[in-house]
Amino acid sequence: MMSKKKGAASVLLILSLWLAPYGEASMAPAVAVPVVSAENTAAPAESAVPLDARASLDKAFDQLAEVKNGTYESSLVVTTPLGSANLESDISFILEPYTRAKGKMAFGFALPGAPEFQRDLAYYIRETEQATAFYCRLGHGEWEKSVTARQPHDKKVNEFWAAAFHNGFMDFAKDVQFGVKDGAMQTYLVTVDGKALGRLYLENEHPRLSDPEWQKTLDSILRSVPDFTYTVTIDEEKKTLTDFHANLTEPVRKAGLIYLKRSDMSREDKDKYRKVLSESTVELSLKGRDFNELEDVQVPAEVLANARDIKAGPGVLNTAPAGKHDVAK
């Protein structure tokens, strides 16, 4: 279960910085506080010294309101000389007492001289202390259901992310600058220290792959994450994180180049794909709304009754028809 405190905003940053488990110590510099002499009988005034951008963002993260429900919309756009691809999604969620969510995703890509391709996916998520149920439908097809037992590791990972978010995601902020301020909306431009990011990922959440060669490639990628930038907007009145945009071009390009270097492709093919990578871009954007305004998110009775069970790996709990042995209500 996601931490109650700031859970929704944590989801936002976790989805965005896909390669980034963050550390737990804040790098924000101390804020100067005026010294009051013993002779001064008046109450000490609040510091008039303005916060710098890093301290301001760290404070904004720390003061984010508790978000128990809301909606996020995201967009991932990839452009290359060979074509373009995009993934649009939105998710509405309730975090207490356990996560319930509904959403939809639309994946599309376009190639020169070919009709645009698009596929839609609708889904629901229901979580209990014991299991997580996932219902999905591709296009106009039938609903499918998988129920997976929650593992002890789930809690550990969720607590790690919650602790990381609570400390402001600042450990990897190499540079923070103020962006545009529009009323209560304050935007920040953040440069992420890629090497520190990859190093902590290796140390804390290092995935182990069955193929040793792929494992070596992944290790090399994580040791070579380049710096990249993102912008984040905080509503200073409502204490909510409303917008996020990350330029992931450099991390993705670097990963692609490392893969090409280690692959057994011909030199001609490698040169061709290097050119493609050099001319490609990857952008991720997210927007949040309706925070603490949703009443509930439920799986429709029709979906519960008719979803076809599918296997979801070794943690599957239920293969009986929905409604007869539903552990994730």
Side-chain angles (χ1 to χ4, degrees), residues 203-232:
E203 295 172 355
N204 291 275
E205 294 291 325
H206 193 192
R208 304 308 304 180
L209 304 179
S210 57
D211 187 314
E213 288 305 313
W214 275 106
Q215 187 65 56
K216 291 178 182 178
T217 300
L218 177 60
D219 291 349
S220 181
I221 289 172
L222 292 175
R223 284 194 295 266
S224 307
V225 178
D227 295 351
F228 60 96
T229 61
Y230 68 85
T231 60
V232 60

Side-chain angles (χ1 to χ4, degrees), residues 3-22:
S3 170
K4 293 180 181 179
K5 184 68 175 176
K6 310 174 187 173
S10 180
V11 171
L12 178 65
L13 287 181
I14 290 168
L15 289 174
S16 310
L17 304 179
W18 56 272
L19 72 171
Y22 292 81

Side-chain angles (χ1 to χ4, degrees), residues 125-171:
I125 299 172
R126 296 201 308 172
E127 181 186 65
T128 68
E129 186 176 354
Q130 295 81 24
T132 300
F134 182 74
Y135 301 81
C136 67
R137 181 179 69 180
L138 184 62
H140 298 288
E142 66 177 335
W143 282 95
E144 296 181 336
K145 168 189 174 182
S146 64
V147 181
T148 305
R150 296 188 64 192
Q151 304 298 320
H153 181 63
D154 293 348
K155 184 177 180 181
K156 178 182 176 183
V157 171
N158 287 346
E159 289 177 348
F160 176 84
W161 281 108
F165 180 78
H166 179 75
N167 286 287
F169 282 90
M170 299 301 292
D171 280 356

Side-chain angles (χ1 to χ4, degrees), residues 12 21 55 73 88 98 211 224 229 234-235 239 247 301:
L12 178 65
E73 300 173 348
E88 308 288 336
Y98 295 99
D211 187 314
S224 307
T229 61
I234 305 291
D235 184 328
K239 308 297 183 183
N247 184 340

Side-chain angles (χ1 to χ4, degrees), residues 8-241:
S10 180
V11 171
L12 178 65
L13 287 181
I14 290 168
L15 289 174
S16 310
L17 304 179
W18 56 272
L19 72 171
Y22 292 81
E24 300 184 1
S26 174
M27 291 175 63
V31 180
V33 178
V35 176
V36 181
S37 69
E39 299 176 357
N40 189 349
T41 57
E46 189 172 316
S47 172
V49 178
L51 297 177
D52 65 18
R54 177 186 293 275
S56 178
L57 179 57
D58 193 46
K59 180 180 179 181
F61 274 139
D62 193 54
Q63 292 182 346
L64 286 178
E66 181 178 353
V67 175
K68 298 179 180 180
N69 60 72
T71 298
Y72 283 119
E73 300 173 348
S74 67
S75 173
L76 178 67
V77 180
V78 180
T79 60
T80 79
L82 303 178
S84 61
N86 64 281
L87 177 64
E88 308 288 336
S89 69
D90 69 73
I91 179 171
S92 296
F93 57 89
I94 305 288
L95 294 177
E96 296 182 348
Y98 295 99
T99 300
R100 294 174 185 255
K102 65 177 179 180
K104 57 186 177 180
M105 303 172 66
F107 171 73
F109 66 84
L111 302 175
E116 184 174 352
F117 171 89
Q118 181 165 319
R119 283 290 183 270
D120 299 322
L121 176 75
Y123 64 89
Y124 293 90
I125 299 172
R126 296 201 308 172
E127 181 186 65
T128 68
E129 186 176 354
Q130 295 81 24
T132 300
F134 182 74
Y135 301 81
C136 67
R137 181 179 69 180
L138 184 62
H140 298 288
E142 66 177 335
W143 282 95
E144 296 181 336
K145 168 189 174 182
S146 64
V147 181
T148 305
R150 296 188 64 192
Q151 304 298 320
H153 181 63
D154 293 348
K155 184 177 180 181
K156 178 182 176 183
V157 171
N158 287 346
E159 289 177 348
F160 176 84
W161 281 108
F165 180 78
H166 179 75
N167 286 287
F169 282 90
M170 299 301 292
D171 280 356
F172 306 99
K174 179 179 283 188
D175 182 63
V176 181
Q177 298 180 26
F178 285 114
V180 175
K181 183 172 177 59
D182 183 7
M185 301 295 183
Q186 175 65 63
T187 298
Y188 299 87
L189 175 65
V190 182
T191 300
V192 175
D193 186 334
K195 288 185 178 179
L197 195 59
R199 183 167 58 250
L200 191 74
Y201 195 85
L202 280 166
E203 295 172 355
N204 291 275
E205 294 291 325
H206 193 192
R208 304 308 304 180
L209 304 179
S210 57
D211 187 314
E213 288 305 313
W214 275 106
Q215 187 65 56
K216 291 178 182 178
T217 300
L218 177 60
D219 291 349
S220 181
I221 289 172
L222 292 175
R223 284 194 295 266
S224 307
V225 178
D227 295 351
F228 60 96
T229 61
Y230 68 85
T231 60
V232 60
T233 301
I234 305 291
D235 184 328
E236 296 180 333
E237 271 186 16
K238 297 182 178 180
K239 308 297 183 183
T240 55
L241 191 157

